[in-house]
Amino acid sequence: MMETLKKTAKLGLVMGVSLLTAAAAQAKGYEQHPLAQKLIGEMVAEDDFSKAELEALFAQAEKKQSILDAISRPAERTLQWKSYRKIFLDGKRAGKGVKFWQDNQAALTEASEKYGVPPEIIVAIIGVETRYGRIMGSYRVLDALSTLAFDYPKRSKFFTKELKHYLRLTREQQQDPLALKGSYAGAMGYGQFMPSSFRAYAVDFDGDNIADIWKNKRDAIGSVANYFKNHGWRQGEPVVARAALESNFNSELANQSLKPKYTVASLREAGFTPLIDVPSDSESSLVKLEGAKGTEYWLGLHNFYVITRYNHSRMYAMAVYQLAQEIRKQYDAANTEA
């Protein structure tokens, strides 16, 4: 019996060491991961990358459990509007937004005139995403995208695509793929662009032949404005309209789609009366949020939908809009006093 126990213990120790060795190997890199090998093969064939160089690169990529933990509990899915709103309209972010606007007034004016996007919307996006550049993420982008591409099956396809774009952009921009940092999801710079968005919308707004959204505020401002223009921002049109409820209101129409699927006229007939003047033929969604004083209903117009293209969340879009309104209010007040 004792001999059997000794053999069992020895076998358990060997198995434990083997598991630890395997885990250590995984922690050191992804170069042997089947999905990484598949990506490497595709990039060699599609983009003329070097297999040896990509394997050497992925050997240095690290799996981050904290990334997998974070992506499973985003604030948009775990908080109600009354709590989510407090994060971004906390009494400080708007004031810091005014300061950012004042410090970058020339770039914001130029971007607004060129792309047709209000300065306060550009500032609010940067404020919501990174607190005006103070919190741009501490993860190596390669680690973030590799972890999610190879160890997050739920969205592996999306992050594999982004990882490919990242490798292409670092080659195009002559950047070290091990040096750039971003969020746990691989978003980068002042405006937290994913690699595909960077390649599609980032602009060199100061004429130095480099689109630098990490350190260059002019490039970051121009890139955010360009993103909105390319997603259909309509200059001078409203974003949302608070709705008053009539006795016949039909709450089942709310939160059916981010994309506008009704007209203002049809929503009015369904018992939702906009509290500002909005053309009856305007396309709109119906947004329902749980606010501090109860349920709120809003008509989400075309420009509201454009904001959701930046982040596919009604609460996110509403936070950007309301922060932008407060920034504009305080900015105008500061200029009046001056």
Side-chain angles (χ1 to χ4, degrees), residues 79-220:
L79 299 177
Q80 290 187 325
W81 169 239
K82 59 186 175 182
S83 300
Y84 185 87
R85 183 182 188 277
K86 289 179 181 178
I87 297 173
F88 304 105
L89 288 99
D90 56 2
K92 296 180 181 179
R93 206 172 303 222
K96 293 183 183 299
V98 172
K99 180 67 165 55
F100 183 87
W101 189 344
Q102 292 169 336
D103 291 345
N104 300 278
Q105 188 160 1
L108 284 160
T109 299
E110 183 180 345
S112 181
E113 292 175 351
K114 180 174 182 177
Y115 298 109
V117 182
E120 62 268 26
I121 291 291
I122 303 170
V123 175
I125 285 286
I126 294 173
V128 166
E129 291 291 343
T130 62
R131 288 186 178 269
Y132 314 105
R134 291 198 303 117
I135 305 173
M136 289 194 279
S138 58
Y139 289 103
R140 292 194 309 182
V141 176
L142 183 68
D143 292 340
L145 294 176
S146 296
T147 296
L148 295 170
F150 307 141
D151 277 311
Y152 189 56
K154 184 178 179 180
R155 299 195 67 192
S156 175
K157 184 176 180 180
F158 170 79
F159 285 106
T160 297
K161 180 196 74 171
E162 292 298 333
L163 181 52
K164 286 183 174 182
H165 278 295
Y166 178 68
L167 294 172
R168 292 169 185 142
L169 84 83
T170 54
R171 183 169 69 176
E172 292 162 355
Q173 297 285 314
Q174 297 184 345
Q175 297 266 21
D176 179 358
L178 289 166
L180 299 180
K181 294 187 177 182
S183 75
Y184 68 80
M188 307 173 294
Y190 278 88
Q192 293 291 274
F193 276 25
M194 293 299 291
S196 60
S197 293
F198 180 99
R199 296 186 72 228
Y201 310 113
V203 296
D204 166 26
F205 205 54
D206 66 353
D208 66 354
N209 297 318
I210 299 172
D212 179 4
I213 63 171
W214 294 269
K215 298 178 182 178
N216 189 317
K217 294 177 185 177
R218 285 187 62 86
D219 285 358

Side-chain angles (χ1 to χ4, degrees), residues 37-83:
Q37 281 292 316
K38 181 174 183 292
L39 180 148
I40 289 169
E42 291 171 351
M43 299 212 73
V44 169
E46 297 169 4
D47 298 275
D48 198 30
F49 275 85
S50 161
K51 184 175 188 292
E53 289 177 0
L54 286 179
E55 287 186 339
L57 179 64
F58 282 116
Q60 299 178 73
E62 298 179 7
K63 176 181 178 180
K64 297 293 184 181
Q65 184 60 43
S66 56
I67 289 174
L68 297 172
D69 294 340
I71 202 166
S72 66
R73 54 173 192 275
E76 290 88 349
R77 296 180 189 172
T78 59
L79 299 177
Q80 290 187 325
W81 169 239
K82 59 186 175 182
S83 300

